[in-house]
Amino acid sequence: MANTSKTVGFVVLLVGLALLSYGGAAAYATSMASQPLVTGTQVAPAGDWHSDGVPLTAGAHVSGTLTPVNGTSAFFYFMTAAQNRNWGLCAPCTSPALINATGKTAYNLDYTVNATGTYFIVMDNSNGANNEAVQLSINQTAPGSALTTYEYVLAAGAVIAVIGVAMYLMRTKPKQ
């Protein structure tokens, strides 16, 4: 009987460890998944601007590249919703923005958001005589959030592994 208890305990421990491995790997992969925010070619019309609003969660990491396709340079801003409302048409300007990359021939975005809200990616061509096309590839890596299914799998795996260890170590008294 003692050997059967040890065998069952060992099998339960293995199941718990398998769940821990699967849950941990899946939770990590999910938390680190990069999701596209804005991709493709966007056009800022001559004498105007183009913006894309994207909802972001505090802790999200935003990264990517902006490359003008047919012009010499672009005015690029990354700003909060409040900054976008107050911005107006003042290019090039020092209007408050989280990132103000004016006159760049290319720009690499790398920013971690500190508050949840809508953020704006703005290509400004207010002073341009021609349409300005910009190739964008902007992604976000979301921060860890509330418990996911994988985290529940992790918790279940830990509990099952502990039960397996307890069963394995449990001693049964022989019948007399």
Side-chain angles (χ1 to χ4, degrees):
M1 187 68 165
N3 284 340
T4 301
S5 176
K6 285 188 179 278
T7 302
V8 170
F10 185 72
V11 169
V12 170
L13 172 63
L14 289 178
V15 169
L17 291 174
L19 285 172
L20 276 169
S21 296
Y22 172 76
Y28 177 77
T30 300
S31 70
M32 298 309 289
S34 181
Q35 302 155 349
L37 287 176
V38 180
T39 58
T41 302
Q42 304 290 330
V43 176
D48 206 352
W49 51 273
H50 174 86
S51 72
D52 291 297
V54 292
L56 296 172
T57 305
H61 183 80
V62 181
S63 61
T65 58
L66 297 96
T67 308
V69 175
N70 64 337
T72 56
S73 63
F75 297 118
F76 166 73
Y77 306 99
F78 182 71
M79 55 182 69
T80 66
Q83 289 170 332
N84 192 7
R85 269 191 310 276
N86 297 327
W87 173 59
L89 298 174
C90 63
C93 68
T94 58
S95 179
L98 298 173
I99 296 174
N100 182 340
T102 58
K104 302 283 185 181
T105 55
Y107 185 76
N108 291 319
L109 174 63
D110 187 19
Y111 188 82
T112 300
V113 174
N114 62 6
T116 298
T118 300
Y119 290 78
F120 288 83
I121 299 162
V122 180
M123 286 83 53
D124 187 4
N125 193 21
S126 298
N127 292 337
N130 300 311
N131 291 347
E132 180 72 40
V134 178
Q135 180 66 36
L136 299 174
S137 176
I138 300 176
N139 302 301
Q140 78 165 325
T141 303
S145 58
L147 287 179
T148 65
T149 302
Y150 302 118
E151 289 166 317
Y152 287 117
V153 171
L154 272 169
V159 169
I160 291 171
V162 168
I163 291 170
V165 168
M167 289 176 69
Y168 183 80
L169 296 176
M170 191 180 340
R171 297 179 190 258
T172 55
K173 294 183 180 179
K175 291 185 178 183
Q176 293 182 355

